[in-house]
């Protein structure tokens, strides 16, 4: 198309003439400002997130900016604006029409972290709605949806209407977040994953909180993991991450508290999809490991208080192990097409790891166990990989336990035995056995509270 002067309008030639002038900022200027340790202003942040979502800011430019943020950080005003811009990149959900108060829990990710499975039905059994939008595992940490998909018939994907119905009638839903929720985060998270920019407090806090605020929950309890199996390796940085997220939630009108919890050793005795479902059901049958029970109860007490339904911890523990959570679990699984009584998948091959001397286990590294489970097929290296439902690691000893030479310390499960060698390699140096009679007492699972 030409105008009266014969100039070309629209198309590539027009872009060439007007080019970047159509955009209010130049990505390179924004990158340079953060690279040199400056603060980004609100308009720059709004633009860069929006332009990245539209494909105007290129992947390599966003990668450079993410690295500049990783290295130089962001102040609270920048983090707040960045979070808001990611929320505005997509839709917001609204649970105001429900007759029950809503409360959600989010964990920053760990090894053997199956807590959502018993926790959501437990809290829902008190008349509170738990909209648990969850993800899949990537790397050494497991994903809640992968775990639940080991249950025959269970489906992760629900329409908004199905979700609302389930929340109103059952009270608990664990499902996949729709693609319309904070799409900027979906793009940025995938980019950070391959550019070494995940472990940044401003980027983690804005990533998690943009999704939780867009989801529309009334209250939120954060489980911020600390230790080798977590993104935050020490208590001080975990505390800063927790404080940042609690402030973001509170500023957005979401009642938010955080527990800092230990992730130096795996939670419970299993890491792997069906293995963790089995253990979660055992917890609800009163036969599960104490650390899983303790953390589930601690988070449930916080969630119920945040939802305006405070409960006595002993009563909550009784509801967890005494059958009440299990009844709600069965309803929740059935609502999403699952058969909670069907046998869970079991891996075809097993290999045992044994103790080479007597003593007391004094250390068991969460990260190493997570990598071993992942290499056995429980996790995926690329988004498109298919996980093995039965794969993973089953533990028979944890720090503080007495062990005897020749005793099974763990069993490795997989359908593909050529994976055993690399899993065993991941476990090299992963545990220590102190001399017999050593006094090893495992620390508490809940380390601190920020609220
Ligand atoms: N989980 C998220 O959703 N985002 C992060 O950045 C880290 C953990």
């Amino acid at each position: 198309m030409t105008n009266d002067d014969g100039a070309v309008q629209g198309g590539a030639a027009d872009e060439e003439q007007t080019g970047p002038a159509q955009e209010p900022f130049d990505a390179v200027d924004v990158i340079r400002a953060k690279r040199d340790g400056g603060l980004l202003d609100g308009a720059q942040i709004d633009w860069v997130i929006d332009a990245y979502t539209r494909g105007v800011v290129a992947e390599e430019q966003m990668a450079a900016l993410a690295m500049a943020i990783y290295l130089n950080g962001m102040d609270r005003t920048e983090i707040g604006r960045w979070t808001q811009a990611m929320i505005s990149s997509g839709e917001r959900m609204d649970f105001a029409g429900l007759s029950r108060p809503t409360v959600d829990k989010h964990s920053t990710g760990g090894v053997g972290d199956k807590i959502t499975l018993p926790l959501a039905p437990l809290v829902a059994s008190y008349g509170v709605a738990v909209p648990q939008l969850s993800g899949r595992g990537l790397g050494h940490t497991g994903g809640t949806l992968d775990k639940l998909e080991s249950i025959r018939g269970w489906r992760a994907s629900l329409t908004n209407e199905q979700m609302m119905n389930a929340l109103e009638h059952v009270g608990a839903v664990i499902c996949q977040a729709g693609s319309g929720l904070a799409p900027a985060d979906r793009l940025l998270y995938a980019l950070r994953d391959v550019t070494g920019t995940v472990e940044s407090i401003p980027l983690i806090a804005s990533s998690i909180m943009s999704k939780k605020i867009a989801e529309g929950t009334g209250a939120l309890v954060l489980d911020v993991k600390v230790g080798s199996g977590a993104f935050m390796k020490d208590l001080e940085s975990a505390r800063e991450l927790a404080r940042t997220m609690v402030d973001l939630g509170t500023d957005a009108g979401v009642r938010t508290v955080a527990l800092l919890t230990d992730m130096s050793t795996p939670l419970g005795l299993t890491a792997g999809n069906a293995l963790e479902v089995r253990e979660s059901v055992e917890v609800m049958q009163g036969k599960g490991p104490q650390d899983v029970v303790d953390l589930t109860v601690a988070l449930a007490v916080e969630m119920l208080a945040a939802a305006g339904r405070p409960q006595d911890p002993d009563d909550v523990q009784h509801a967890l192990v005494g059958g009440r959570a299990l009844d709600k679990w069965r309803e929740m699984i059935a609502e999403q097409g699952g058969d909670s009584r069907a046998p869970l998948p079991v891996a075809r091959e097993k290999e045992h790891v044994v103790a080479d001397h007597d003593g007391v286990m004094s250390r068991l590294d969460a990260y190493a166990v997570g990598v071993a489970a992942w290499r056995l097929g429980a996790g995926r290296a690329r988004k498109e990989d298919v996980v093995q439902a039965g794969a993973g690691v089953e533990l028979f000893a944890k720090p503080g336990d007495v062990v005897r030479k020749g005793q099974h310390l763990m069993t490795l499960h997989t359908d593909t035995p050529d994976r055993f060698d690399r899993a065993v390699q991941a476990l090299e140096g992963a545990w220590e056995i102190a001399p017999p009679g050593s006094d090893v007492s495992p620390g508490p699972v809940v380390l601190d509270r920020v609220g």
Side-chain angles (χ1 to χ4, degrees):
M1 189 195 289
T2 54
N3 65 14
D4 292 346
D5 301 319
V8 178
Q9 286 184 317
D14 187 36
E15 255 167 45
E16 227 166 72
Q17 278 186 358
T18 48
Q22 291 174 340
E23 297 290 335
F25 297 98
D26 184 339
V28 180
D29 292 338
V30 178
I31 296 165
R32 281 200 192 110
K34 189 40 79 182
R35 180 199 66 188
D36 296 341
L39 294 177
L40 302 182
D41 68 30
Q44 284 175 311
I45 290 173
D46 291 350
W47 173 78
V48 85
I49 295 286
D50 176 57
Y52 175 55
T53 315
R54 286 185 286 122
V56 169
V57 167
E59 290 286 323
E60 59 273 22
Q61 292 177 314
M62 197 50 146
L65 182 57
M67 186 57 82
I69 294 169
Y70 177 92
L71 294 171
N72 291 325
M74 278 179 151
D75 77 3
R76 286 292 163 88
T77 309
E78 289 177 293
I79 300 173
R81 189 71 175 234
W82 187 274
T83 307
Q84 197 52 52
M86 297 223 287
I87 296 169
S88 303
S89 72
E91 67 185 21
R92 289 186 77 149
M93 295 182 70
D94 184 5
F95 298 123
L98 292 177
S99 64
R100 306 164 182 240
T102 49
V103 62
D104 192 2
K105 185 268 316 189
H106 185 88
S107 154
T108 55
V111 177
D113 185 3
K114 70 274 299 167
I115 300 294
T116 296
L117 276 52
L119 180 65
L122 171 64
V123 173
S125 78
Y126 284 91
V128 171
V130 187
Q132 194 72 57
L133 300 185
S134 299
R136 294 180 189 283
L138 192 67
H140 74 281
T141 62
T144 300
L145 301 181
D146 293 328
K147 294 171 197 179
L148 286 167
E149 277 176 349
S150 61
I151 299 172
R152 188 192 292 162
W154 187 87
R155 52 175 199 278
S157 171
L158 298 183
T159 62
N160 284 0
E161 198 189 342
Q162 286 168 329
M163 186 178 175
M164 289 303 227
N165 255 331
L167 284 173
E168 188 62 41
H169 298 113
V170 179
V173 172
I174 303 176
C175 67
Q176 192 167 5
S179 58
L181 214 66
D185 177 62
R186 196 180 314 277
L187 293 170
L188 184 54
Y189 191 80
L191 180 68
R192 287 167 56 214
D193 200 40
V194 293
T195 54
T197 52
V198 169
E199 301 91 339
S200 147
I201 289 176
L203 293 176
I204 295 176
S206 55
S207 165
I208 292 175
M209 294 309 292
S210 62
K211 287 174 286 204
K212 293 291 145 182
I213 296 167
E215 168 198 297
T217 184
L220 175 65
V221 176
L222 297 160
D223 179 1
V224 179
K225 302 286 186 198
V226 192
S228 75
F231 292 129
M232 296 293 118
K233 308 291 180 205
D234 62 89
L235 204 51
E236 202 186 319
S237 42
R239 215 175 260 128
E240 191 187 334
L241 175 62
R243 184 80 263 157
T244 308
M245 292 196 288
V246 168
D247 288 350
L248 286 170
T250 308
D251 289 350
V254 181
R255 284 181 304 284
T256 310
V257 296
L259 295 185
L260 305 187
T261 71
D262 182 50
M263 189 31 73
S264 55
T265 208
L267 257 175
L269 294 169
T270 57
N273 301 312
L275 291 169
E276 291 190 47
V277 172
R278 190 196 73 198
E279 186 172 54
S280 302
V281 172
E282 286 166 2
V283 165
M284 292 182 274
Q285 290 170 332
K287 301 183 290 189
Q290 198 57 42
D291 58 346
V292 178
V293 171
D294 289 347
L295 184 52
T296 308
V297 170
L299 288 165
V301 165
E302 293 290 349
M303 288 171 79
L304 290 164
R309 303 266 170 97
Q311 301 293 329
D312 177 61
D314 291 340
D315 182 75
V316 175
Q317 170 141 351
H318 187 256
L320 173 64
V321 300
R324 181 164 146 181
L326 189 61
D327 290 343
K328 187 54 82 179
W329 159 265
R330 293 204 168 111
E331 259 184 84
M332 177 183 93
I333 296 299
E335 181 75 17
Q336 290 176 239
D339 179 356
S340 60
R341 294 182 194 270
L344 289 162
V346 175
R348 282 194 288 275
E349 308 285 340
K350 282 183 194 175
E351 190 166 299
H352 304 296
V353 175
V354 295
D356 59 3
H357 59 277
D358 289 353
V360 182
M361 186 175 274
S362 54
R363 185 178 68 84
L364 176 61
D365 185 69
Y367 180 70
V369 173
V371 173
W374 174 33
R375 290 184 178 176
L376 289 164
R380 50 174 75 72
R382 292 162 306 160
K383 281 209 164 60
E384 54 281 9
D385 291 349
V386 175
V387 297
Q388 291 182 22
V393 179
E394 193 176 5
L395 304 168
F396 299 104
K398 297 259 305 246
D401 290 345
V402 172
V403 298
R404 296 259 168 252
K405 183 175 176 182
Q407 165 193 332
H408 291 174
L409 292 180
M410 54 187 89
T411 299
L412 313 183
H413 299 252
T414 185
D415 292 333
T416 36
D418 56 350
R419 291 172 178 265
F420 281 131
D421 283 353
R422 293 204 65 229
V424 169
Q425 271 168 27
L427 290 165
E428 258 162 41
W431 66 88
E432 274 167 37
I433 297 176
S438 299
D439 183 14
V440 179
S441 35
V445 66
V446 178
L447 305 173
D448 204 352
R449 179 182 188 279
V450 175

